[in-house]
Structure formats: structure tokens, C-alpha cells
Amino acid sequence: MRKTLGLLFLSISLILTLIACTESDEVKYEAKASDFEGEGFERNSQRIVVIDDELVIYAAYNNPESKNKTSIDKLLESDDAVPGEFYEKRYKNVEIKTQQDMYFITADGLSLTFKKTGERTVTDEEGMEYYTGKYPEE
């Protein structure tokens, strides 16, 4: 009886371990380079979009004292942005590589990473979410 209970416990543990491993490897939202085309993604007064071979960032640089900075805020800071001003930055030779739910964006002098966290949501390296009004094609 004790041996049977031990085998039963071992079997259940093995099944639960296999289920947990399978779920952790599963990618819920697959990243596609085309996600950044068209409308791109937006957060408050910041938008990132691919137009032809350019990565275009439209952004207002609002609060340099904020603790919740986006990757775009940090990019503007590195260019000595002036608070309250609106910027349009264009980067040529954009390339977006994807791996599962991750986007790796490079362009002339720029490197950004995003993670697809919802059907219409990406999160930048700072943990800030951006949204798109574009619904996924089915």
C-alpha cells in the first residue's frame, strides 16, 4: 500500500512538473515586425512607428523629473531634449528582428527592445506599456 501511494505521488508530481514546464515555454503573444507598421504603438504623447525604411518617433518630452520614464524619454534625454517641446525623430535603415514575444529594433544609431504583452500592447525596457489602435489581422 505504501509503495502504491509513493508511486501515485511520484506520478502526480511528474505530471504537474511537465504541465508547468510546458506552460512556461508557451508564448502567449507572438511578435511580428509588421506590428510596428501602419499605426505603430503609442503611450500618452509618444508614438513609435515604422514608415517605409524609417523608424519614426513622435514625442513630447514632458517631465524630466518623472520616475516613470519610457525608453523614448531616455532617448530624448540623451539628445538633450527640452521639457515641453515636441520632437519628431527619424532613424533610417530600420530593422526589426523578432524572437517569440520580443522585438529587437535597430536603426542608424538606435537600439530598442520591446516585449509583446497583449494583442495590442507592447512593453519597453523600462516596463512602460504602449498601445495600438490596430486590431490583429485574423
Side-chain angles (χ1 to χ4, degrees):
M1 178 72 173
R2 195 170 206 192
K3 198 174 197 181
T4 305
L5 283 176
L7 283 173
L8 180 62
F9 178 75
L10 182 61
S11 298
I12 291 172
S13 297
L14 180 61
I15 290 169
L16 292 175
T17 301
L18 288 173
I19 290 171
C21 289
T22 302
E23 288 177 4
S24 65
D25 291 341
E26 185 178 321
V27 174
K28 191 167 186 177
Y29 301 104
E30 183 182 351
K32 293 181 242 160
S34 61
D35 292 342
F36 279 86
E37 296 172 356
E39 290 186 33
F41 290 90
E42 183 174 354
R43 175 181 177 81
N44 298 333
S45 57
Q46 299 180 341
R47 177 177 292 234
I48 182 168
V49 61
V50 172
I51 300 173
D52 298 322
D53 72 336
E54 290 184 321
L55 179 70
V56 183
I57 296 175
Y58 303 100
Y61 183 59
N62 294 318
N63 186 358
E65 304 302 318
S66 174
K67 293 179 182 176
N68 298 323
K69 294 184 182 182
T70 66
S71 292
I72 293 175
D73 286 329
K74 291 191 171 194
L75 178 67
L76 293 174
E77 281 180 356
S78 70
D79 287 346
D80 296 324
V82 176
E85 289 194 18
F86 187 81
Y87 292 87
E88 178 180 322
K89 301 283 218 172
R90 292 180 173 265
Y91 299 89
K92 294 198 178 287
N93 303 314
V94 66
E95 184 176 342
I96 301 177
K97 293 183 180 181
T98 61
Q99 183 178 19
Q100 297 182 343
D101 58 355
M102 299 297 295
Y103 304 90
F104 303 97
I105 303 172
T106 56
D108 290 345
L110 175 73
S111 176
L112 296 169
T113 302
F114 290 88
K115 179 176 183 171
K116 190 165 188 173
T117 54
E119 284 186 25
R120 300 183 307 140
T121 309
V122 297
T123 302
D124 70 10
E125 298 162 281
E126 306 304 319
M128 307 306 278
E129 291 185 330
Y130 296 74
Y131 308 92
T132 184
K134 180 176 154 183
Y135 286 85
E137 296 175 8
E138 296 189 31

